[in-house]
Amino acid sequence: MLSRVASHIYWLGRYLERAENYARFIDVNFNLMQDLPMDLKEQWGPLVAATGDLELYRKKYTGFERHQVMFFLTFDTDNPNSMLNAVKNSRENARIIRENLSKETWEKVNELYYMMQTGLEKKSLEKGRPEAVLRAG
């Protein structure tokens, strides 16, 4: 029993850490792009390569357009490492051991999950600046 709970706590943290790292990764890259020419696309390819998902990305997309890369890394349900899937997996681990978590922990994980779902539904990255999604929570 203790081993099962420990395992779910471990994975809950790992998935949240992955989502946070992706958000930071994208945010830094987005801010670096502010100082570069608008038509420069070379900045987004290495971002996908650094995540280890280049092969998966190339099966689905051609080129490295900003909106495609950002969607792939944040909301793409076909990408098992996307922020959305990481948050879903984290929430599932939290749900399984909910009785062992503090009320605040469960509420924050659940809140993040619904924020990501809302972002997907509203296509948050396509409208305006992505900082609202990447820095929320």
Side-chain angles (χ1 to χ4, degrees):
M1 163 87 170
L2 185 59
S3 155
R4 180 185 70 85
V5 171
S7 176
H8 287 292
I9 289 173
Y10 172 80
W11 284 107
L12 181 154
R14 290 288 290 147
Y15 285 122
L16 286 177
E17 184 179 19
R18 177 176 293 157
E20 179 185 10
N21 287 340
Y22 271 40
R24 188 174 301 119
F25 221 32
I26 294 166
D27 187 45
V28 166
N29 201 59
F30 182 80
N31 287 324
L32 287 173
M33 289 296 292
Q34 300 303 312
D35 296 330
L36 298 174
M38 292 294 277
D39 60 343
L40 186 68
K41 296 178 180 116
E42 289 84 21
Q43 191 72 17
W44 294 100
L47 186 64
V48 176
T51 65
D53 295 319
L54 188 57
E55 187 177 322
L56 180 63
Y57 180 88
R58 284 191 170 145
K59 287 180 184 176
K60 189 167 183 178
Y61 301 101
T62 57
F64 292 98
E65 299 293 328
R66 181 188 115 189
H67 68 280
Q68 290 175 330
V69 172
M70 289 180 65
F71 181 80
F72 178 75
L73 296 175
T74 54
F75 295 119
D76 195 335
T77 55
D78 295 332
N79 177 3
N81 295 316
S82 70
M83 288 173 57
L84 178 65
N85 282 331
V87 169
K88 278 182 186 179
N89 291 333
S90 182
R91 181 178 184 260
E92 181 61 18
N93 278 283
R95 187 193 62 75
I96 291 169
I97 57 166
R98 187 172 177 182
E99 68 278 357
N100 298 96
L101 295 176
S102 68
K103 176 183 171 191
E104 293 81 12
T105 301
W106 168 251
E107 287 175 353
K108 287 298 179 185
V109 171
N110 209 33
E111 184 181 312
L112 179 59
Y113 170 78
Y114 282 110
M115 184 199 77
M116 292 296 292
Q117 289 296 323
T118 302
L120 174 62
E121 292 165 9
K122 291 183 177 179
K123 299 185 187 247
S124 296
L125 294 175
E126 294 175 11
K127 300 174 185 169
R129 298 173 57 91
E131 287 88 11
V133 174
L134 300 175
R135 292 189 181 153

